[in-house]
mmCIF file with all atom_site columns, all heavy atoms in Angstrom:
data_model
loop_
_atom_site.group_PDB
_atom_site.id
_atom_site.type_symbol
_atom_site.label_atom_id
_atom_site.label_alt_id
_atom_site.label_comp_id
_atom_site.label_asym_id
_atom_site.label_entity_id
_atom_site.label_seq_id
_atom_site.pdbx_PDB_ins_code
_atom_site.Cartn_x
_atom_site.Cartn_y
_atom_site.Cartn_z
_atom_site.occupancy
_atom_site.B_iso_or_equiv
_atom_site.pdbx_formal_charge
_atom_site.auth_seq_id
_atom_site.auth_comp_id
_atom_site.auth_asym_id
_atom_site.auth_atom_id
_atom_site.pdbx_PDB_model_num
ATOM 1   N N   . ARG B 1 1  ? 0.811  -1.209 0.000   1.00 41.00 ? 23 ARG B N   1
ATOM 2   C CA  . ARG B 1 1  ? 0.000  0.000  0.000   1.00 41.00 ? 23 ARG B CA  1
ATOM 3   C C   . ARG B 1 1  ? 0.848  1.265  0.000   1.00 41.00 ? 23 ARG B C   1
ATOM 4   O O   . ARG B 1 1  ? 0.547  2.201  -0.743  1.00 41.00 ? 23 ARG B O   1
ATOM 5   C CB  . ARG B 1 1  ? -0.961 -0.006 1.190   1.00 41.00 ? 23 ARG B CB  1
ATOM 6   C CG  . ARG B 1 1  ? -1.896 1.185  1.209   1.00 41.00 ? 23 ARG B CG  1
ATOM 7   C CD  . ARG B 1 1  ? -2.964 1.016  2.263   1.00 41.00 ? 23 ARG B CD  1
ATOM 8   N NE  . ARG B 1 1  ? -3.839 -0.101 1.937   1.00 41.00 ? 23 ARG B NE  1
ATOM 9   C CZ  . ARG B 1 1  ? -4.836 -0.525 2.726   1.00 41.00 ? 23 ARG B CZ  1
ATOM 10  N NH1 . ARG B 1 1  ? -5.042 0.058  3.882   1.00 41.00 ? 23 ARG B NH1 1
ATOM 11  N NH2 . ARG B 1 1  ? -5.581 -1.530 2.359   1.00 41.00 ? 23 ARG B NH2 1
ATOM 12  N N   . PRO B 1 2  ? 1.942  1.369  0.820   1.00 41.00 ? 24 PRO B N   1
ATOM 13  C CA  . PRO B 1 2  ? 2.769  2.577  0.767   1.00 41.00 ? 24 PRO B CA  1
ATOM 14  C C   . PRO B 1 2  ? 3.324  2.854  -0.620  1.00 41.00 ? 24 PRO B C   1
ATOM 15  O O   . PRO B 1 2  ? 3.445  3.993  -1.043  1.00 41.00 ? 24 PRO B O   1
ATOM 16  C CB  . PRO B 1 2  ? 3.892  2.286  1.777   1.00 41.00 ? 24 PRO B CB  1
ATOM 17  C CG  . PRO B 1 2  ? 3.279  1.323  2.730   1.00 41.00 ? 24 PRO B CG  1
ATOM 18  C CD  . PRO B 1 2  ? 2.386  0.454  1.902   1.00 41.00 ? 24 PRO B CD  1
ATOM 19  N N   . ILE B 1 3  ? 3.681  1.777  -1.363  1.00 39.00 ? 25 ILE B N   1
ATOM 20  C CA  . ILE B 1 3  ? 4.199  1.960  -2.711  1.00 39.00 ? 25 ILE B CA  1
ATOM 21  C C   . ILE B 1 3  ? 3.143  2.572  -3.608  1.00 39.00 ? 25 ILE B C   1
ATOM 22  O O   . ILE B 1 3  ? 3.409  3.468  -4.404  1.00 39.00 ? 25 ILE B O   1
ATOM 23  C CB  . ILE B 1 3  ? 4.694  0.616  -3.282  1.00 39.00 ? 25 ILE B CB  1
ATOM 24  C CG1 . ILE B 1 3  ? 5.891  0.110  -2.469  1.00 39.00 ? 25 ILE B CG1 1
ATOM 25  C CG2 . ILE B 1 3  ? 5.066  0.762  -4.753  1.00 39.00 ? 25 ILE B CG2 1
ATOM 26  C CD1 . ILE B 1 3  ? 6.384  -1.251 -2.890  1.00 39.00 ? 25 ILE B CD1 1
ATOM 27  N N   . LEU B 1 4  ? 1.891  2.082  -3.435  1.00 38.00 ? 26 LEU B N   1
ATOM 28  C CA  . LEU B 1 4  ? 0.792  2.622  -4.231  1.00 38.00 ? 26 LEU B CA  1
ATOM 29  C C   . LEU B 1 4  ? 0.584  4.099  -3.923  1.00 38.00 ? 26 LEU B C   1
ATOM 30  O O   . LEU B 1 4  ? 0.346  4.913  -4.824  1.00 38.00 ? 26 LEU B O   1
ATOM 31  C CB  . LEU B 1 4  ? -0.489 1.842  -3.961  1.00 38.00 ? 26 LEU B CB  1
ATOM 32  C CG  . LEU B 1 4  ? -0.522 0.410  -4.496  1.00 38.00 ? 26 LEU B CG  1
ATOM 33  C CD1 . LEU B 1 4  ? -1.826 -0.269 -4.079  1.00 38.00 ? 26 LEU B CD1 1
ATOM 34  C CD2 . LEU B 1 4  ? -0.404 0.406  -6.021  1.00 38.00 ? 26 LEU B CD2 1
ATOM 35  N N   . PHE B 1 5  ? 0.669  4.449  -2.628  1.00 33.00 ? 27 PHE B N   1
ATOM 36  C CA  . PHE B 1 5  ? 0.523  5.847  -2.239  1.00 33.00 ? 27 PHE B CA  1
ATOM 37  C C   . PHE B 1 5  ? 1.626  6.700  -2.862  1.00 33.00 ? 27 PHE B C   1
ATOM 38  O O   . PHE B 1 5  ? 1.386  7.815  -3.316  1.00 33.00 ? 27 PHE B O   1
ATOM 39  C CB  . PHE B 1 5  ? 0.568  5.992  -0.720  1.00 33.00 ? 27 PHE B CB  1
ATOM 40  C CG  . PHE B 1 5  ? -0.713 5.599  -0.041  1.00 33.00 ? 27 PHE B CG  1
ATOM 41  C CD1 . PHE B 1 5  ? -0.706 5.081  1.242   1.00 33.00 ? 27 PHE B CD1 1
ATOM 42  C CD2 . PHE B 1 5  ? -1.930 5.745  -0.691  1.00 33.00 ? 27 PHE B CD2 1
ATOM 43  C CE1 . PHE B 1 5  ? -1.884 4.722  1.875   1.00 33.00 ? 27 PHE B CE1 1
ATOM 44  C CE2 . PHE B 1 5  ? -3.114 5.400  -0.061  1.00 33.00 ? 27 PHE B CE2 1
ATOM 45  C CZ  . PHE B 1 5  ? -3.092 4.874  1.220   1.00 33.00 ? 27 PHE B CZ  1
ATOM 46  N N   . LEU B 1 6  ? 2.865  6.167  -2.889  1.00 33.00 ? 28 LEU B N   1
ATOM 47  C CA  . LEU B 1 6  ? 3.967  6.902  -3.475  1.00 33.00 ? 28 LEU B CA  1
ATOM 48  C C   . LEU B 1 6  ? 3.757  7.121  -4.966  1.00 33.00 ? 28 LEU B C   1
ATOM 49  O O   . LEU B 1 6  ? 4.016  8.193  -5.513  1.00 33.00 ? 28 LEU B O   1
ATOM 50  C CB  . LEU B 1 6  ? 5.292  6.161  -3.239  1.00 33.00 ? 28 LEU B CB  1
ATOM 51  C CG  . LEU B 1 6  ? 5.850  6.207  -1.812  1.00 33.00 ? 28 LEU B CG  1
ATOM 52  C CD1 . LEU B 1 6  ? 7.045  5.274  -1.688  1.00 33.00 ? 28 LEU B CD1 1
ATOM 53  C CD2 . LEU B 1 6  ? 6.246  7.636  -1.461  1.00 33.00 ? 28 LEU B CD2 1
ATOM 54  N N   . ILE B 1 7  ? 3.271  6.075  -5.650  1.00 37.00 ? 29 ILE B N   1
ATOM 55  C CA  . ILE B 1 7  ? 3.004  6.192  -7.083  1.00 37.00 ? 29 ILE B CA  1
ATOM 56  C C   . ILE B 1 7  ? 1.917  7.224  -7.337  1.00 37.00 ? 29 ILE B C   1
ATOM 57  O O   . ILE B 1 7  ? 2.040  8.089  -8.205  1.00 37.00 ? 29 ILE B O   1
ATOM 58  C CB  . ILE B 1 7  ? 2.599  4.826  -7.672  1.00 37.00 ? 29 ILE B CB  1
ATOM 59  C CG1 . ILE B 1 7  ? 3.793  3.864  -7.606  1.00 37.00 ? 29 ILE B CG1 1
ATOM 60  C CG2 . ILE B 1 7  ? 2.118  4.980  -9.110  1.00 37.00 ? 29 ILE B CG2 1
ATOM 61  C CD1 . ILE B 1 7  ? 3.446  2.442  -8.005  1.00 37.00 ? 29 ILE B CD1 1
ATOM 62  N N   . ALA B 1 8  ? 0.827  7.149  -6.535  1.00 40.00 ? 30 ALA B N   1
ATOM 63  C CA  . ALA B 1 8  ? -0.269 8.112  -6.700  1.00 40.00 ? 30 ALA B CA  1
ATOM 64  C C   . ALA B 1 8  ? 0.224  9.524  -6.441  1.00 40.00 ? 30 ALA B C   1
ATOM 65  O O   . ALA B 1 8  ? -0.134 10.463 -7.154  1.00 40.00 ? 30 ALA B O   1
ATOM 66  C CB  . ALA B 1 8  ? -1.412 7.757  -5.749  1.00 40.00 ? 30 ALA B CB  1
ATOM 67  N N   . GLY B 1 9  ? 1.061  9.693  -5.406  1.00 41.00 ? 31 GLY B N   1
ATOM 68  C CA  . GLY B 1 9  ? 1.582  11.012 -5.105  1.00 41.00 ? 31 GLY B CA  1
ATOM 69  C C   . GLY B 1 9  ? 2.468  11.547 -6.214  1.00 41.00 ? 31 GLY B C   1
ATOM 70  O O   . GLY B 1 9  ? 2.449  12.737 -6.531  1.00 41.00 ? 31 GLY B O   1
ATOM 71  N N   . ALA B 1 10 ? 3.247  10.652 -6.831  1.00 39.00 ? 32 ALA B N   1
ATOM 72  C CA  . ALA B 1 10 ? 4.114  11.072 -7.934  1.00 39.00 ? 32 ALA B CA  1
ATOM 73  C C   . ALA B 1 10 ? 3.291  11.563 -9.109  1.00 39.00 ? 32 ALA B C   1
ATOM 74  O O   . ALA B 1 10 ? 3.608  12.574 -9.734  1.00 39.00 ? 32 ALA B O   1
ATOM 75  C CB  . ALA B 1 10 ? 5.013  9.907  -8.363  1.00 39.00 ? 32 ALA B CB  1
ATOM 76  N N   . TYR B 1 11 ? 2.194  10.825 -9.421  1.00 40.00 ? 33 TYR B N   1
ATOM 77  C CA  . TYR B 1 11 ? 1.320  11.253 -10.511 1.00 40.00 ? 33 TYR B CA  1
ATOM 78  C C   . TYR B 1 11 ? 0.673  12.600 -10.196 1.00 40.00 ? 33 TYR B C   1
ATOM 79  O O   . TYR B 1 11 ? 0.553  13.472 -11.054 1.00 40.00 ? 33 TYR B O   1
ATOM 80  C CB  . TYR B 1 11 ? 0.245  10.205 -10.778 1.00 40.00 ? 33 TYR B CB  1
ATOM 81  C CG  . TYR B 1 11 ? 0.704  9.088  -11.679 1.00 40.00 ? 33 TYR B CG  1
ATOM 82  C CD1 . TYR B 1 11 ? 0.765  7.782  -11.211 1.00 40.00 ? 33 TYR B CD1 1
ATOM 83  C CD2 . TYR B 1 11 ? 1.081  9.344  -13.000 1.00 40.00 ? 33 TYR B CD2 1
ATOM 84  C CE1 . TYR B 1 11 ? 1.197  6.750  -12.032 1.00 40.00 ? 33 TYR B CE1 1
ATOM 85  C CE2 . TYR B 1 11 ? 1.507  8.319  -13.825 1.00 40.00 ? 33 TYR B CE2 1
ATOM 86  C CZ  . TYR B 1 11 ? 1.564  7.015  -13.343 1.00 40.00 ? 33 TYR B CZ  1
ATOM 87  O OH  . TYR B 1 11 ? 1.985  6.008  -14.152 1.00 40.00 ? 33 TYR B OH  1
ATOM 88  N N   . ALA B 1 12 ? 0.247  12.790 -8.939  1.00 39.00 ? 34 ALA B N   1
ATOM 89  C CA  . ALA B 1 12 ? -0.382 14.053 -8.555  1.00 39.00 ? 34 ALA B CA  1
ATOM 90  C C   . ALA B 1 12 ? 0.613  15.199 -8.667  1.00 39.00 ? 34 ALA B C   1
ATOM 91  O O   . ALA B 1 12 ? 0.289  16.282 -9.167  1.00 39.00 ? 34 ALA B O   1
ATOM 92  C CB  . ALA B 1 12 ? -0.917 13.962 -7.121  1.00 39.00 ? 34 ALA B CB  1
ATOM 93  N N   . LEU B 1 13 ? 1.845  14.988 -8.227  1.00 35.00 ? 35 LEU B N   1
ATOM 94  C CA  . LEU B 1 13 ? 2.868  16.017 -8.311  1.00 35.00 ? 35 LEU B CA  1
ATOM 95  C C   . LEU B 1 13 ? 3.171  16.350 -9.763  1.00 35.00 ? 35 LEU B C   1
ATOM 96  O O   . LEU B 1 13 ? 3.319  17.508 -10.137 1.00 35.00 ? 35 LEU B O   1
ATOM 97  C CB  . LEU B 1 13 ? 4.144  15.552 -7.593  1.00 35.00 ? 35 LEU B CB  1
ATOM 98  C CG  . LEU B 1 13 ? 5.343  16.523 -7.644  1.00 35.00 ? 35 LEU B CG  1
ATOM 99  C CD1 . LEU B 1 13 ? 4.958  17.842 -7.000  1.00 35.00 ? 35 LEU B CD1 1
ATOM 100 C CD2 . LEU B 1 13 ? 6.539  15.907 -6.953  1.00 35.00 ? 35 LEU B CD2 1
ATOM 101 N N   . ALA B 1 14 ? 3.249  15.312 -10.617 1.00 39.00 ? 36 ALA B N   1
ATOM 102 C CA  . ALA B 1 14 ? 3.515  15.544 -12.038 1.00 39.00 ? 36 ALA B CA  1
ATOM 103 C C   . ALA B 1 14 ? 2.416  16.385 -12.660 1.00 39.00 ? 36 ALA B C   1
ATOM 104 O O   . ALA B 1 14 ? 2.679  17.262 -13.487 1.00 39.00 ? 36 ALA B O   1
ATOM 105 C CB  . ALA B 1 14 ? 3.635  14.214 -12.772 1.00 39.00 ? 36 ALA B CB  1
ATOM 106 N N   . ALA B 1 15 ? 1.168  16.133 -12.242 1.00 41.00 ? 37 ALA B N   1
ATOM 107 C CA  . ALA B 1 15 ? 0.046  16.906 -12.781 1.00 41.00 ? 37 ALA B CA  1
ATOM 108 C C   . ALA B 1 15 ? 0.158  18.370 -12.380 1.00 41.00 ? 37 ALA B C   1
ATOM 109 O O   . ALA B 1 15 ? -0.099 19.275 -13.179 1.00 41.00 ? 37 ALA B O   1
ATOM 110 C CB  . ALA B 1 15 ? -1.276 16.324 -12.282 1.00 41.00 ? 37 ALA B CB  1
ATOM 111 N N   . VAL B 1 16 ? 0.559  18.626 -11.129 1.00 36.00 ? 38 VAL B N   1
ATOM 112 C CA  . VAL B 1 16 ? 0.714  19.999 -10.664 1.00 36.00 ? 38 VAL B CA  1
ATOM 113 C C   . VAL B 1 16 ? 1.824  20.699 -11.435 1.00 36.00 ? 38 VAL B C   1
ATOM 114 O O   . VAL B 1 16 ? 1.700  21.848 -11.858 1.00 36.00 ? 38 VAL B O   1
ATOM 115 C CB  . VAL B 1 16 ? 1.016  20.022 -9.147  1.00 36.00 ? 38 VAL B CB  1
ATOM 116 C CG1 . VAL B 1 16 ? 1.413  21.420 -8.707  1.00 36.00 ? 38 VAL B CG1 1
ATOM 117 C CG2 . VAL B 1 16 ? -0.196 19.533 -8.370  1.00 36.00 ? 38 VAL B CG2 1
ATOM 118 N N   . VAL B 1 17 ? 2.956  19.989 -11.642 1.00 34.00 ? 39 VAL B N   1
ATOM 119 C CA  . VAL B 1 17 ? 4.077  20.581 -12.368 1.00 34.00 ? 39 VAL B CA  1
ATOM 120 C C   . VAL B 1 17 ? 3.659  20.927 -13.787 1.00 34.00 ? 39 VAL B C   1
ATOM 121 O O   . VAL B 1 17 ? 3.952  21.997 -14.305 1.00 34.00 ? 39 VAL B O   1
ATOM 122 C CB  . VAL B 1 17 ? 5.285  19.622 -12.363 1.00 34.00 ? 39 VAL B CB  1
ATOM 123 C CG1 . VAL B 1 17 ? 6.364  20.118 -13.315 1.00 34.00 ? 39 VAL B CG1 1
ATOM 124 C CG2 . VAL B 1 17 ? 5.836  19.480 -10.953 1.00 34.00 ? 39 VAL B CG2 1
ATOM 125 N N   . ARG B 1 18 ? 2.925  19.991 -14.457 1.00 46.00 ? 40 ARG B N   1
ATOM 126 C CA  . ARG B 1 18 ? 2.481  20.265 -15.819 1.00 46.00 ? 40 ARG B CA  1
ATOM 127 C C   . ARG B 1 18 ? 1.578  21.484 -15.865 1.00 46.00 ? 40 ARG B C   1
ATOM 128 O O   . ARG B 1 18 ? 1.659  22.304 -16.765 1.00 46.00 ? 40 ARG B O   1
ATOM 129 C CB  . ARG B 1 18 ? 1.743  19.047 -16.382 1.00 46.00 ? 40 ARG B CB  1
ATOM 130 C CG  . ARG B 1 18 ? 2.667  17.917 -16.826 1.00 46.00 ? 40 ARG B CG  1
ATOM 131 C CD  . ARG B 1 18 ? 1.918  16.974 -17.741 1.00 46.00 ? 40 ARG B CD  1
ATOM 132 N NE  . ARG B 1 18 ? 0.735  16.417 -17.096 1.00 46.00 ? 40 ARG B NE  1
ATOM 133 C CZ  . ARG B 1 18 ? 0.714  15.323 -16.359 1.00 46.00 ? 40 ARG B CZ  1
ATOM 134 N NH1 . ARG B 1 18 ? 1.844  14.664 -16.142 1.00 46.00 ? 40 ARG B NH1 1
ATOM 135 N NH2 . ARG B 1 18 ? -0.399 14.880 -15.815 1.00 46.00 ? 40 ARG B NH2 1
ATOM 136 N N   . ALA B 1 19 ? 0.697  21.603 -14.853 1.00 50.00 ? 41 ALA B N   1
ATOM 137 C CA  . ALA B 1 19 ? -0.233 22.732 -14.835 1.00 50.00 ? 41 ALA B CA  1
ATOM 138 C C   . ALA B 1 19 ? 0.503  24.045 -14.654 1.00 50.00 ? 41 ALA B C   1
ATOM 139 O O   . ALA B 1 19 ? 0.056  25.077 -15.121 1.00 50.00 ? 41 ALA B O   1
ATOM 140 C CB  . ALA B 1 19 ? -1.269 22.541 -13.727 1.00 50.00 ? 41 ALA B CB  1
ATOM 141 N N   . ALA B 1 20 ? 1.668  23.998 -13.932 1.00 58.00 ? 42 ALA B N   1
ATOM 142 C CA  . ALA B 1 20 ? 2.388  25.228 -13.641 1.00 58.00 ? 42 ALA B CA  1
ATOM 143 C C   . ALA B 1 20 ? 3.395  25.586 -14.725 1.00 58.00 ? 42 ALA B C   1
ATOM 144 O O   . ALA B 1 20 ? 3.935  26.675 -14.723 1.00 58.00 ? 42 ALA B O   1
ATOM 145 C CB  . ALA B 1 20 ? 3.105  25.098 -12.299 1.00 58.00 ? 42 ALA B CB  1
ATOM 146 N N   . GLU B 1 21 ? 3.666  24.672 -15.641 1.00 88.00 ? 43 GLU B N   1
ATOM 147 C CA  . GLU B 1 21 ? 4.628  24.944 -16.698 1.00 88.00 ? 43 GLU B CA  1
ATOM 148 C C   . GLU B 1 21 ? 4.078  26.019 -17.633 1.00 88.00 ? 43 GLU B C   1
ATOM 149 O O   . GLU B 1 21 ? 2.970  25.895 -18.145 1.00 88.00 ? 43 GLU B O   1
ATOM 150 C CB  . GLU B 1 21 ? 4.931  23.668 -17.475 1.00 88.00 ? 43 GLU B CB  1
ATOM 151 C CG  . GLU B 1 21 ? 5.758  22.651 -16.706 1.00 88.00 ? 43 GLU B CG  1
ATOM 152 C CD  . GLU B 1 21 ? 5.969  21.378 -17.499 1.00 88.00 ? 43 GLU B CD  1
ATOM 153 O OE1 . GLU B 1 21 ? 5.332  21.258 -18.577 1.00 88.00 ? 43 GLU B OE1 1
ATOM 154 O OE2 . GLU B 1 21 ? 6.737  20.521 -17.053 1.00 88.00 ? 43 GLU B OE2 1
ATOM 155 N N   . PRO B 1 22 ? 4.839  27.085 -17.868 1.00 93.00 ? 44 PRO B N   1
ATOM 156 C CA  . PRO B 1 22 ? 4.355  28.138 -18.759 1.00 93.00 ? 44 PRO B CA  1
ATOM 157 C C   . PRO B 1 22 ? 4.143  27.622 -20.175 1.00 93.00 ? 44 PRO B C   1
ATOM 158 O O   . PRO B 1 22 ? 4.909  26.786 -20.668 1.00 93.00 ? 44 PRO B O   1
ATOM 159 C CB  . PRO B 1 22 ? 5.482  29.177 -18.711 1.00 93.00 ? 44 PRO B CB  1
ATOM 160 C CG  . PRO B 1 22 ? 6.244  28.878 -17.458 1.00 93.00 ? 44 PRO B CG  1
ATOM 161 C CD  . PRO B 1 22 ? 6.145  27.401 -17.281 1.00 93.00 ? 44 PRO B CD  1
ATOM 162 N N   . GLN B 1 23 ? 3.100  28.115 -20.796 1.00 98.00 ? 45 GLN B N   1
ATOM 163 C CA  . GLN B 1 23 ? 2.830  27.801 -22.198 1.00 98.00 ? 45 GLN B CA  1
ATOM 164 C C   . GLN B 1 23 ? 3.030  29.069 -23.010 1.00 98.00 ? 45 GLN B C   1
ATOM 165 O O   . GLN B 1 23 ? 2.621  30.151 -22.591 1.00 98.00 ? 45 GLN B O   1
ATOM 166 C CB  . GLN B 1 23 ? 1.412  27.277 -22.362 1.00 98.00 ? 45 GLN B CB  1
ATOM 167 C CG  . GLN B 1 23 ? 1.183  25.973 -21.616 1.00 98.00 ? 45 GLN B CG  1
ATOM 168 C CD  . GLN B 1 23 ? -0.251 25.502 -21.770 1.00 98.00 ? 45 GLN B CD  1
ATOM 169 O OE1 . GLN B 1 23 ? -0.656 25.012 -22.811 1.00 98.00 ? 45 GLN B OE1 1
ATOM 170 N NE2 . GLN B 1 23 ? -1.038 25.674 -20.719 1.00 98.00 ? 45 GLN B NE2 1
ATOM 171 N N   . ARG B 1 24 ? 3.653  28.922 -24.162 1.00 98.00 ? 46 ARG B N   1
ATOM 172 C CA  . ARG B 1 24 ? 3.992  30.079 -24.989 1.00 98.00 ? 46 ARG B CA  1
ATOM 173 C C   . ARG B 1 24 ? 3.284  29.992 -26.336 1.00 98.00 ? 46 ARG B C   1
ATOM 174 O O   . ARG B 1 24 ? 3.257  28.926 -26.964 1.00 98.00 ? 46 ARG B O   1
ATOM 175 C CB  . ARG B 1 24 ? 5.500  30.165 -25.199 1.00 98.00 ? 46 ARG B CB  1
ATOM 176 C CG  . ARG B 1 24 ? 5.969  31.416 -25.946 1.00 98.00 ? 46 ARG B CG  1
ATOM 177 C CD  . ARG B 1 24 ? 7.479  31.431 -26.046 1.00 98.00 ? 46 ARG B CD  1
ATOM 178 N NE  . ARG B 1 24 ? 7.984  32.672 -26.641 1.00 98.00 ? 46 ARG B NE  1
ATOM 179 C CZ  . ARG B 1 24 ? 8.130  32.880 -27.943 1.00 98.00 ? 46 ARG B CZ  1
ATOM 180 N NH1 . ARG B 1 24 ? 7.815  31.903 -28.805 1.00 98.00 ? 46 ARG B NH1 1
ATOM 181 N NH2 . ARG B 1 24 ? 8.590  34.019 -28.398 1.00 98.00 ? 46 ARG B NH2 1
ATOM 182 N N   . PHE B 1 25 ? 2.711  31.107 -26.751 1.00 98.00 ? 47 PHE B N   1
ATOM 183 C CA  . PHE B 1 25 ? 2.075  31.208 -28.054 1.00 98.00 ? 47 PHE B CA  1
ATOM 184 C C   . PHE B 1 25 ? 2.660  32.430 -28.762 1.00 98.00 ? 47 PHE B C   1
ATOM 185 O O   . PHE B 1 25 ? 2.840  33.479 -28.142 1.00 98.00 ? 47 PHE B O   1
ATOM 186 C CB  . PHE B 1 25 ? 0.555  31.371 -27.915 1.00 98.00 ? 47 PHE B CB  1
ATOM 187 C CG  . PHE B 1 25 ? -0.075 30.341 -27.022 1.00 98.00 ? 47 PHE B CG  1
ATOM 188 C CD1 . PHE B 1 25 ? -0.497 30.674 -25.738 1.00 98.00 ? 47 PHE B CD1 1
ATOM 189 C CD2 . PHE B 1 25 ? -0.235 29.033 -27.447 1.00 98.00 ? 47 PHE B CD2 1
ATOM 190 C CE1 . PHE B 1 25 ? -1.068 29.728 -24.909 1.00 98.00 ? 47 PHE B CE1 1
ATOM 191 C CE2 . PHE B 1 25 ? -0.809 28.074 -26.623 1.00 98.00 ? 47 PHE B CE2 1
ATOM 192 C CZ  . PHE B 1 25 ? -1.228 28.422 -25.356 1.00 98.00 ? 47 PHE B CZ  1
ATOM 193 N N   . ALA B 1 26 ? 2.932  32.300 -30.047 1.00 98.00 ? 48 ALA B N   1
ATOM 194 C CA  . ALA B 1 26 ? 3.536  33.407 -30.771 1.00 98.00 ? 48 ALA B CA  1
ATOM 195 C C   . ALA B 1 26 ? 3.010  33.463 -32.201 1.00 98.00 ? 48 ALA B C   1
ATOM 196 O O   . ALA B 1 26 ? 2.774  32.431 -32.832 1.00 98.00 ? 48 ALA B O   1
ATOM 197 C CB  . ALA B 1 26 ? 5.057  33.273 -30.781 1.00 98.00 ? 48 ALA B CB  1
#
């Protein structure tokens, strides 16, 4: 179960990072 929690947390963190990554349009 702790491994599953770690995996879920990693996915959640990745989602936050993607959301915060600047997007550029030109």
Side-chain angles (χ1 to χ4, degrees):
R23 183 171 294 177
I25 295 176
L26 290 177
F27 283 150
L28 287 172
I29 293 173
Y33 276 117
L35 178 60
V38 170
V39 170
R40 283 198 302 272
E43 289 177 352
Q45 297 178 74
R46 185 178 185 273
F47 309 105

